[in-house]
Amino acid sequence: MPRVLALAALFAGLSAAIAGAADVTARRTLPSGTVLADTDLGIAEGEAAALRDGMIGLETRRVIYAGRPVNPADLGPPTLVRRNDVVTMRFLRSGLEIRAEGRALEAGGAGERIQVLNLESRQSVVARVTAPALVEIRR
């Protein structure tokens, strides 16, 4: 019987999280790539305020229409590197640092791993975005 109660509590928590996400709505149509501000989001209940506060500063990954629920899965960290941007690649290993120019093959936010083309060697590498126009390779 305790196992059934634990499962019921788990499902109740999941439904509350889903309901909380539905309580956060877009006040205006938000194009893909919009960094969310407090004025962009509305809430239906007080419990969703914490969820809304966690969404502020994130970027929309798709268009969200006015009055529609904002799903956390449609948000991500703000894009620091866009596809085809020229970036500085930093290779770090045992205190050695080498810098080279590369071209981003995909977009990424802080901490995300993206494919970058080394412009000198024409080799593709995976690098972590650390700042605007800066990626890091650690081995």
Side-chain angles (χ1 to χ4, degrees):
M1 192 63 149
R3 180 179 260 171
V4 172
L5 292 175
L7 285 174
L10 175 68
F11 286 119
L14 287 174
S15 354
I18 292 168
D23 291 340
V24 178
T25 58
R27 289 186 177 161
R28 64 181 181 90
T29 298
L30 304 167
S32 178
T34 302
V35 176
L36 296 176
D38 187 38
T39 57
D40 294 329
L41 303 173
I43 56 171
E45 295 180 11
E47 291 181 15
L51 180 62
R52 183 201 59 197
D53 292 345
M55 292 178 176
I56 294 171
L58 297 179
E59 182 177 272
T60 58
R61 298 293 187 214
R62 66 172 189 85
V63 176
I64 302 171
Y65 295 99
R68 298 310 267 301
V70 179
N71 186 345
D74 296 331
L75 306 175
T79 302
L80 298 178
V81 174
R82 303 229 179 260
R83 186 173 185 276
N84 287 326
D85 280 356
V86 173
V87 296
T88 300
M89 299 184 308
R90 287 178 51 201
F91 177 79
L92 303 169
R93 185 174 185 184
S94 305
L96 174 69
E97 179 178 331
I98 300 171
R99 290 180 180 246
E101 258 191 359
R103 181 167 307 277
L105 299 177
E106 52 193 345
E112 292 182 320
R113 293 181 169 276
I114 63 169
Q115 289 283 328
V116 179
L117 178 68
N118 182 327
L119 294 177
E120 188 173 322
S121 69
R122 304 311 249 178
Q123 294 280 328
S124 176
V125 296
V126 176
R128 183 179 304 274
V129 178
T130 57
L134 182 64
V135 296
E136 200 170 86
I137 304 162
R138 289 183 184 241
R139 296 201 180 176

